[in-house]
Amino acid sequence: MRELSSIQPDDDHFHDECGVFGICGHEDAAAHTALGLHALQHRGQEAAGIVSADGVHFHSHRSAGLVGDNFSSEEVIGRLQGSMAIGHNRYSTAGETVARNIQPLFADFEFGGLAIGHNGNLTNAYSLRRALVERGCIFQSTTDTEIIVHLIAISGYSTVVDRMIDALRQVEGAYSLVALTNSALIGVRDPMGVRPLVLGRLEGSYVLCSETCALDIIGAEFVRDVDPGEIVVIDGDGIRSVKPFSKTPQRLCIFEYIYFARPDSTVENRNVYEIRKEIGAELARETSVEADVVVPVPDSGVPAAIGYAQQAGIPFDLGIIRNHYVGRTFIEPTHQIRHLGVRLKHNANAGHLKDKRVVLVDDSIVRGTTSEKIVAMVRGAGAREVHMRISSPPTSHSCFYGIDTPQQEELLAAQYDVEAMAKHIGADSLSFISIDGLYRAFGETGRNDTPQFCDACFSGDYPIPLTDRDGGPMPAQLSLLTEQE
Ligand code: AMP
């Protein structure tokens, strides 16, 4: 889910990656949704919302902040009545975290109420929004998700599923959706399956969620991944599946494995932790260096560093300790605070660094802020040499499908070659896994002509058209209303 107002040429904020959850047929639907969202907290920490349905009415609670802060009171959960619920964790910039943008969105239609939660990003959102506004649609938020709501409202079809199909045939981009009517839970994955969505079961009820870790927390059993291009409809009659889109090759986001998904999740039959270790091992094969210790940049670099250390036969140690009470770096909105954020977040464990030749392993370099700070910190703790190893190829292109990377010019790898990047971050050496090496970690021989993943952030090969980006400048703002939290 992306704020449309953010798709501006001069915008450098990080937005979306969100987490979605839905459950149908459980007397504690809202409480389970809160737990599911808690397990998906890493996918969005700015705001959370739950909408439940009791067969007649819908009940909603949406609020800025963490799930635990907003959904731990019995009073809040008690008000979210009904045996069906959906929830959403939002990851966005502070400036746009206004109440009206917090999901799930809800609207009253001719056919009844519908709540919707979206993980992903639409790439023709602005073009569609402009056309809808010209037709007289009045937008209440600046999120691209609301476009789907309007397209459903004006569809000439009668059933909600047909209206959704009609709407989704007009949108381009990446979307994993959960939607709720007063009688059904609906889940959808875009035709390429860029974002994950899984189906589970709990005591006769069905669950939909972004990652399997949200099934584990409530003791639900994993059934299967929702297929790319599949719509699952769950109601009192059970579950049915519709595949209304023309078949296209699958392109799951490879960055889910590298960074975003939780390591204890299994995405499309592959355990994220095991994949990260494999990537680390491949990285060691490709970029070996004489060293005394392998140190991860916690937490995201840990599994790859374990794989690296095992493959290279170099001892592994936690030479950097992370303070867990600070959010992910990118959530901080300004450059100045991002800088500060890194210092707040990590500290050197000097005893394991002093006089050592250190291999530092992290999952990615985006702007280079983290690496620069960490390398200086490790040197400051007395390391003799610092060799930075990155378990992804250089991030040289922005993502338009839901992992909001900065404008391309701000990506370190778009400005410098690897040698210059090493100098910039102050490392004795810097190496990235190659794109073929990355695919080898998945058991492939390399990246072939029909890659199974979306790796646009590394390759620039965008599998879904970038209609808005290529269509000229976006307006400076989409709404004239400024809101206070
Ligand atoms: P940077 O400091 O700008 O180079 O960002 C790289 C660090 O941010 C790495 O430690 C990653 O674990 C983390 N990271 C990479 N991509 C993202 C993202 N899209 N959102 C939040 N954190 C990220």
Side-chain angles (χ1 to χ4, degrees):
M1 170 280 317
R2 185 176 194 186
E3 289 149 14
L4 273 161
S5 55
S6 69
I7 320 173
Q8 294 165 25
D10 62 346
D11 183 348
D12 69 348
H13 291 144
F14 285 85
H15 303 265
D16 15 15
E17 262 314 296
C18 300
V20 293
F21 185 95
I23 185 165
C24 178
H26 199 290
E27 57 177 6
D28 287 324
H32 282 87
T33 304
L35 285 168
L37 291 183
H38 178 65
L40 298 172
Q41 188 76 82
H42 60 290
R43 297 184 74 88
Q45 294 143 39
E46 289 236 339
I50 296 179
V51 174
S52 69
D54 63 16
V56 182
H57 293 111
F58 291 82
H59 310 274
S60 165
H61 184 81
R62 302 179 300 161
S63 189
L66 300 177
V67 179
D69 295 337
N70 289 311
F71 290 99
S72 44
S73 92
E74 275 179 33
E75 197 230 318
V76 168
I77 297 294
R79 274 192 279 116
L80 294 165
Q81 287 167 14
S83 61
M84 302 189 294
I86 62 169
H88 186 269
N89 278 340
R90 173 186 163 83
Y91 192 141
S92 179
T93 58
E96 284 295 318
T97 305
V98 287
R100 64 193 178 135
N101 281 347
I102 301 176
Q103 298 204 21
L105 297 184
F106 177 82
D108 290 303
F109 297 85
E110 202 187 331
F111 57 81
L114 181 79
I116 191 160
H118 173 202
N119 168 211
N121 187 48
L122 306 185
T123 51
N124 64 342
Y126 172 62
S127 324
L128 287 172
R129 180 171 171 133
R130 194 177 45 195
L132 286 164
V133 169
E134 275 166 18
R135 274 184 75 157
C137 293
I138 297 169
F139 277 77
Q140 301 294 321
S141 77
T142 54
T143 68
D144 60 356
T145 314
E146 195 184 344
I147 288 156
I148 301 174
V149 173
H150 282 285
L151 292 172
I152 292 171
I154 62 172
S155 169
Y157 288 88
S158 54
T159 71
V160 70
V161 174
D162 284 345
R163 282 170 178 249
M164 279 182 87
I165 295 169
D166 188 29
L168 294 173
R169 283 202 171 124
Q170 298 170 65
V171 309
E172 294 167 355
Y175 51 85
S176 278
L177 303 174
V178 289
L180 189 68
T181 72
N182 58 20
S183 60
L185 168 68
I186 301 166
V188 192
R189 238 176 125 194
D190 70 71
M192 291 201 167
V194 176
R195 298 279 144 238
L197 189 66
V198 297
L199 175 70
R201 282 213 82 159
L202 176 70
E203 300 157 14
S205 62
Y206 280 102
V207 179
L208 289 166
C209 50
S210 297
E211 291 180 38
T212 58
C213 63
L215 297 178
D216 298 339
I217 195 172
I218 56 167
E221 152 205 354
F222 170 75
V223 176
R224 63 178 177 86
D225 291 274
V226 174
D227 285 337
E230 181 181 14
I231 301 182
V232 291
V233 184
I234 300 156
D235 58 19
D237 296 331
I239 181 163
R240 74 192 160 93
S241 158
V242 195
K243 293 192 174 167
F245 309 110
S246 10
K247 220 171 153 39
T248 58
Q250 177 164 350
R251 298 292 286 270
L252 173 68
C253 167
I254 204 162
F255 208 66
E256 290 277 350
Y257 288 105
I258 291 168
Y259 173 78
F260 260 108
R262 242 171 67 162
D264 52 336
S265 285
T266 294
V267 182
E268 294 281 3
N269 301 317
R270 285 170 161 130
N271 176 259
V272 174
Y273 179 79
E274 294 305 328
I275 287 289
R276 285 186 192 163
K277 268 175 68 182
E278 264 315 309
I279 297 173
E282 192 57 40
L283 181 64
R285 275 178 218 116
E286 286 190 343
T287 68
S288 72
V289 59
E290 291 271 315
D292 304 308
V293 64
V294 174
V295 169
V297 178
D299 291 327
S300 53
V302 173
I306 293 173
Y308 191 106
Q310 285 175 355
Q311 176 63 36
I314 301 172
F316 170 95
D317 260 313
L318 296 180
I320 300 163
I321 301 300
R322 178 174 163 195
N323 180 330
H324 284 99
Y325 303 95
V326 182
R328 284 187 175 189
T329 324
F330 283 25
I331 289 181
E332 310 299 344
T334 66
H335 184 66
Q336 195 193 358
I337 296 177
R338 255 197 315 274
H339 243 67
L340 184 65
V342 177
R343 256 183 285 145
L344 288 172
K345 215 162 128 178
H346 297 113
N347 192 23
N349 191 7
H352 290 279
L353 301 168
K354 193 162 169 25
D355 298 328
K356 301 253 169 88
R357 294 168 302 170
V358 178
V359 175
L360 261 179
V361 180
D362 200 1
D363 63 273
S364 55
I365 292 183
V366 182
R367 290 184 172 96
T369 321
T370 308
S371 309
E372 200 183 336
K373 291 273 170 199
I374 296 277
V375 170
M377 188 183 289
V378 170
R379 278 203 202 284
R384 202 147 44 94
E385 291 172 21
V386 185
H387 302 280
M388 189 90 200
R389 294 293 178 268
I390 304 294
S391 65
S392 64
T395 303
S396 51
H397 292 75
S398 298
C399 175
F400 296 91
Y401 306 135
I403 290 178
D404 219 13
T405 39
Q407 289 294 301
Q408 197 179 9
E409 316 77 81
E410 284 188 58
L411 297 170
L412 201 64
Q415 305 169 41
Y416 301 121
D417 62 17
V418 175
E419 209 178 307
M421 286 171 85
K423 218 163 159 206
H424 180 91
I425 65 168
D428 293 292
S429 77
L430 166 69
S431 302
F432 295 80
I433 194 167
S434 69
I435 191 113
D436 284 327
L438 180 60
Y439 275 79
R440 277 197 293 277
F442 289 86
E444 302 292 311
T445 50
R447 184 188 197 268
N448 56 32
D449 294 339
T450 51
Q452 58 178 306
F453 297 109
C454 174
D455 53 22
C457 49
F458 312 129
S459 65
D461 168 16
Y462 292 99
I464 303 171
L466 303 178
T467 303
D468 286 338
R469 188 200 66 167
D470 299 338
M474 310 286 163
Q477 58 186 21
L478 291 171
S479 173
L480 298 173
L481 179 69
T482 59
E483 259 181 284
Q484 298 289 318
E485 286 273 322

